[in-house]
Amino acid sequence: MAPSPTPSAITLSELPLVRPLLRWRWFPYVFQLALLAVVVSLALLGLQSSVPQGVESKLVAKGTLVTLLVWGLWWPTMIWTAVIFGRVWCTVCPLELVANITERVARRLGIGGRTLGRVLRGGWVALALYLAMQMLVAGAEMHRSAWLTGVMMLGLVGLAGATAAIYRDRAFCRGFCPVSLLLGSYGRHGSVAMRAESPAVCAECADHRCTDASLRAAADARSCPSLLDPSRLQSNADCLVCGQCVKVCSGDTMRMLLRTPFDRRDMRETAPRWPLALFVMTASGFVTAEIAAEWPAAKAAVAWAPHALASALGVQSLGGWIDGLWVIAAIPAILWLLFGIIAAEGRIGRFGESVRALALPMVVLVASAHMAKAFVKATSWAGFLPGALDDPTNAALSISIAAELIAKPAALVTTETASVVGLALVVAGFGLAIRELRLGGSLRIATVIPTVLLAALYLVIIAGWGG
C-alpha cells in the first residue's frame, strides 16, 4: 500500500473508540434522531413561549430557553466548529435524517425521484433562503422571538421533508439548506476530512463501491449520498462527513482524518460559482454589522444611513427591514465594488473574475471576524442558562432583571478580553487569507490591498470593544 497522502494527520477512523462507532450500522442515525427530538421539542416550546411586556427584546431572548440555546449558544458554536473542524455539524444534522427517511418513503410510494437542476445545485435557492433568514432577523427580530424561532425550526423540518419527497440524492443538503453555503465556505479546509489513504488502491479498485449508484439507497454502507467521489476528495466543501464511504470501501482505504486546518494539500478553487461568491460578499456585510453592534460608536455609524433613509421616507416602522437590506446588500455592494475595482486594477472586463477570485481567500477573514462575534455572544449569553432552565417558556428571568429584582448574569469574560481574542482571531484570519491567495495562485498587490482593507476595518471595530 502506498504511503498516506496526509502523513501528518491523525487517522480518527482507526482509533479504538472511533472505529467501532464509525462502522456501527446506526451511525450517524442515532445522533441525528436524538437531535431531531431536541429540535422538535425546542420548536414546540418556542410556540408556547410568552413575550413579557415592557422588557427589552434582547433581554427577553437571553432569558428564554429557545432563543438562548438556538441563537446564543448553538449558532456561535456552529460557526467555530465549521471553521476549525469543517462540516461536522452536517454529520449529526437532524434535517438530513428527515430528508433521508422521506426520500425512502417517497421511493416506496413511487413518487419524487427528480434530479436537481443546475440552478438548484448551484446554490441559488440556498442563497435566497439564507438572505431571507437574515431579513427576518433584521426586520422581525426572529433571533429574539422564541415563537418565530420555533416556526423557523418547524419550517426547516418541513422543507427538508418536502424537498426529499420531490428530489433525490440529498436534495435538501445540496440545494436548499440555508446554511449550506456558510458551512461549505467556512468549513472547506476544516481539520476533519474524509480522504483515501492510498490513491493507488483506489485506482486499481474494480467495483468502486463508494460511487456505485445501486448502493446509494442502502440503509447502511452506502455509496456517497452527496454524489461525490470520495477517493478523489481534495476539499471539505461538499462532504457531509457521514462516514458512509468508510463503511462501504471494499479496499479499506477511506479514512476519517484529523489534520491541521487549512491543509496546503487541499484544492484551492480559483473561481467559485456565483452563489458562493455572493454569499461571501453578503457575509462580509452582515459580519461587519454584527461586530459593530458591540461598539456603540461603530453601531451608530453603521445604522446612520438606513435610519436616515427610513426617517426621510416616513417609514420608521419599517426601519428593521431597511436595516436588513443595508446590511446584506448595501454594505457588501460598497465594500466589494471597491475591492473588485482594486483587484481588477481598473479593468472593467476583469471585475467579475477578480471578485470571484477574492471570495474564498477573503471568506477566511470574514469567518475569523464572525468567530470573534460568536465568542462575544456565547460568553455573554451563557450565564443566563440556569435561569432560563428554571422557567423556559415565560422569560421570568428577563422580567426579574428588568424589574431590578435580581442582577443581570455577568459575561464569562470581560469586554477587554473579548476584544483581545477578537483581534487575535482577525490577525490570524488575515494571515491565513494571504496564505490562501498564495496557495490559490492569486497573490499579488492588487489582491492583497482589499484583504488589508477588510482586515483593518475589522481590527478597528473590534479594538473599539475594549474602549
Side-chain angles (χ1 to χ4, degrees):
M1 182 177 291
S4 168
T6 53
S8 60
I10 299 172
T11 306
L12 289 176
S13 54
E14 295 302 310
L15 294 180
L17 294 178
V18 178
R19 180 181 173 87
L21 175 64
L22 191 60
R23 294 177 182 272
W24 184 34
R25 63 175 303 183
W26 298 111
F27 177 86
Y29 302 131
V30 67
F31 300 101
Q32 293 175 322
L33 183 61
L35 283 172
L36 179 60
V38 172
V39 166
V40 173
S41 298
L42 285 176
L44 296 177
L45 187 64
L47 297 182
Q48 301 172 46
S49 298
S50 61
V51 180
Q53 299 298 314
V55 181
E56 181 196 7
S57 59
K58 186 175 182 179
L59 183 57
V60 173
K62 291 181 177 181
T64 306
L65 186 63
V66 173
T67 46
L68 171 61
L69 289 179
V70 173
W71 301 109
L73 299 178
W74 171 77
W75 183 259
T77 300
M78 189 184 70
I79 299 300
W80 273 74
T81 55
V83 177
I84 297 173
F85 298 109
R87 299 189 66 160
V88 292
W89 166 253
C90 298
T91 308
V92 295
C93 177
L95 300 183
E96 198 277 336
L97 178 65
V98 171
N100 188 349
I101 293 174
T102 306
E103 184 178 335
R104 293 176 187 279
V105 172
R107 189 183 302 114
R108 287 183 176 276
L109 295 175
I111 61 176
R114 297 183 184 179
T115 302
L116 284 181
R118 185 172 64 177
V119 171
L120 294 177
R121 292 198 312 272
W124 288 106
V125 173
L127 176 64
L129 290 172
Y130 173 81
L131 297 181
M133 287 180 60
Q134 293 299 338
M135 286 299 296
L136 286 170
V137 165
E141 292 195 329
M142 180 172 67
H143 61 315
R144 296 179 180 176
S145 167
W147 188 86
L148 281 176
T149 299
V151 170
M152 177 205 70
M153 295 167 77
L154 292 178
L156 289 175
V157 171
L159 179 62
T163 54
I166 300 171
Y167 298 99
R168 58 189 174 92
D169 301 326
R170 267 188 184 154
F172 174 78
C173 305
R174 294 167 55 227
F176 294 89
C177 177
V179 296
S180 59
L181 293 174
L182 183 151
L183 294 172
S185 57
Y186 283 19
R188 65 195 305 111
H189 300 303
S191 60
V192 177
M194 310 302 296
R195 295 291 188 270
E197 183 181 37
S198 173
V201 170
C202 294
E204 297 172 0
C205 182
D207 51 25
H208 291 286
R209 290 171 58 85
C210 62
T211 59
D212 187 343
S214 68
L215 298 174
R216 201 165 296 140
D220 189 48
R222 308 160 65 189
S223 60
C224 181
S226 297
L227 305 186
L228 306 175
D229 184 346
S231 68
R232 297 184 179 182
L233 279 178
Q234 293 180 294
S235 167
N236 300 341
D238 300 310
C239 174
L240 305 194
V241 205
C242 65
Q244 295 297 331
C245 58
V246 173
K247 297 181 183 183
V248 78
C249 179
S250 57
D252 194 29
T253 190
M254 288 304 305
R255 298 286 186 264
M256 177 185 286
L257 305 175
L258 180 64
R259 330 163 296 165
T260 303
F262 301 95
D263 194 297
R264 65 173 59 250
R265 286 157 290 203
D266 283 357
M267 178 189 69
R268 264 61 188 184
E269 189 176 355
T270 56
R273 57 191 186 276
W274 269 111
L276 184 56
L278 289 171
F279 165 78
V280 176
M281 298 177 203
T282 300
S284 68
F286 168 74
V287 169
T288 299
E290 281 282 281
I291 60 174
E294 302 296 329
W295 179 23
K299 181 179 180 180
V302 169
W304 179 83
H307 287 184
L309 179 60
S311 179
L313 296 176
V315 290
Q316 287 89 341
S317 62
L318 300 177
W321 300 98
I322 294 174
D323 285 344
L325 288 173
W326 176 253
V327 166
I328 69 172
I331 293 178
I334 294 168
L335 291 176
W336 285 84
L337 179 62
L338 173 63
F339 296 163
I341 290 173
I342 295 173
E345 300 178 77
R347 287 174 280 185
I348 301 301
R350 291 188 56 188
F351 179 84
E353 173 190 346
S354 299
V355 163
R356 291 170 66 196
L358 271 179
L360 290 180
M362 198 76 92
V363 79
V364 182
L365 182 55
V366 173
S368 69
H370 208 166
M371 291 173 74
K373 171 65 178 186
F375 178 77
V376 173
K377 191 164 193 174
T379 55
S380 63
W381 286 46
F384 287 77
L385 185 58
L389 287 170
D390 288 340
D391 188 359
T393 61
N394 295 319
L397 175 63
S398 57
I399 296 173
S400 299
I401 294 172
E404 299 184 350
L405 298 176
I406 61 174
K408 181 180 178 180
L412 301 184
V413 300
T414 65
T415 303
E416 291 74 16
T417 300
S419 179
V420 170
V421 171
L423 292 172
L425 286 168
V426 172
V427 169
F430 171 73
L432 287 169
I434 296 297
R435 180 175 179 267
E436 290 299 300
L437 284 170
R438 178 172 60 82
L439 292 174
S442 302
L443 183 62
R444 48 193 177 88
I445 189 65
T447 57
V448 171
I449 291 175
T451 312
V452 170
L453 291 175
L454 187 62
L457 174 64
Y458 288 163
L459 288 171
V460 168
I461 294 174
I462 294 174
W465 294 357

